[in-house]
Amino acid sequence: MASMPPSISASDGVSPSAPDPRNATTSKFFGAFGEGMMHPIDTLKTRIQSQAVISGSQSEKSILQMLRTVSASDGLRGFYRGVTPGLTGSLATGATYFGVIESTKKWIEEKNPNLGGHWSHFIAGAVGDTLGSIVYVPCEVVKQRMQVQGTKQSWSSSILQKNVSQKAGPQMYCYYTGMFQAGHSIWKQHGVKGLYAGYWSTLARDVPFAGLMVTFYEALKDLAEFGKRRLLPRSDLQVTNSFEGLILGGIAGGLSAYLTTPLDVIKTRLQVQGSISRYNGWSDALRTIWRTEGLKGMFKGSIPRVIWYIPASALTFMAVEFLRDHFNDKMDDNVHEVTGLSLDTKSKIQEPV
């Protein structure tokens, strides 16, 4: 994709956060790459969190137990069920999310300086994720329902039908053969409401997660800079921003993922329950899970969730820092070119005729 030439003027100056389509393209690529690589982990997390809805079981299988279950019943295909809607949602929202953060953060700091610093980072991350959810939520609904189904043989097997509760078994939803068939089936059965099942629970999870991740990342960058000045004041050690983004981004993503796991559990339960509603909305899901499963139930799937987000966040922030550095260098070169052109023009004008 051709890059958009930066706009430089005497009044505006040079904006280091000016939009560049390559930022959007690369952000989408790294988001999709992380989604594809870590999808089996996400499948394990979804299966663990949805056991109470699908099988009526309150006991939590460990990661290894669920790994053996999926492998035995579905094979490798079972781990990648739902990967297509997952990639679609990631590609569609990645550019929106990271494209909005910089512009929103700058706008907040200009309009209300009191909200500068970590508050502007939190709000910008939340706004970016809210906009992305318009596309992301339908893809997430389809993805998670395909993940819990596994292969057609396992979904319709007598063993599964025996384990699934009598009320919510075959009537939950038909087997989905693909993303478009699943979307059409949900639309036909439930309309827009079905495709956006758990929409507010998704925002309740993603807005705090996005805000926390950006805030943690910026705070860790400040802490790292303070540590270098305090502990290594005379050191010539140079750490690239890309490497810093890789390490600190992974930590920020992992922390945010763990803290928002209870919100993720509620979202997953609401989105996979189908026609027979086990939970009547977000608050009812929260009360029911807390009453029947306690704190352990609220943090089901926290380990695979953290495992998923550490590398995904690390790769994403590494890409963002690389693009920031690359774009800023290009902007500096353009400024030097404009300055050199201006000086050269002045010298020619001042030459005696």
Side-chain angles (χ1 to χ4, degrees), residues 53 193 197-198 200-201 266 269-271 273-289 291:
V53 175
K193 185 178 180 181
W200 295 111
S201 64
I266 295 172
R269 300 278 181 92
L270 290 173
Q271 289 183 331
Q273 65 180 351
S275 302
I276 309 300
S277 298
R278 183 183 178 92
Y279 307 108
N280 187 23
W282 192 90
S283 58
D284 179 62
L286 174 62
R287 288 193 299 268
T288 303
I289 296 171
R291 185 179 67 252

Side-chain angles (χ1 to χ4, degrees), residues 190-312:
H190 300 292
V192 176
K193 185 178 180 181
L195 288 172
Y196 281 90
Y199 177 79
W200 295 111
S201 64
T202 302
L203 286 185
R205 179 203 67 174
D206 286 353
V207 169
F209 170 79
L212 285 172
M213 184 170 65
V214 176
T215 303
F216 281 149
Y217 179 69
E218 297 293 342
L220 287 169
K221 284 181 66 177
D222 293 343
L223 182 63
E225 185 61 31
F226 174 79
K228 284 190 288 186
R229 291 198 307 264
R230 185 71 179 269
L231 301 177
L232 303 169
R234 299 179 181 178
S235 175
D236 295 330
L237 178 65
Q238 296 292 330
V239 178
T240 65
N241 289 332
S242 297
F243 181 77
E244 193 174 68
L246 180 72
I247 302 300
L248 302 184
I251 296 172
L255 287 173
S256 304
Y258 181 78
L259 292 175
T260 54
T261 296
L263 305 174
D264 185 53
V265 171
I266 295 172
K267 180 202 78 73
T268 299
R269 300 278 181 92
L270 290 173
Q271 289 183 331
V272 302
Q273 65 180 351
S275 302
I276 309 300
S277 298
R278 183 183 178 92
Y279 307 108
N280 187 23
W282 192 90
S283 58
D284 179 62
L286 174 62
R287 288 193 299 268
T288 303
I289 296 171
W290 178 260
R291 185 179 67 252
T292 59
E293 302 173 58
L295 187 64
K296 185 178 180 180
M298 299 299 295
F299 279 90
K300 280 186 176 179
S302 59
I303 294 177
R305 177 169 163 80
V306 170
I307 292 173
W308 193 99
Y309 269 105
I310 286 177

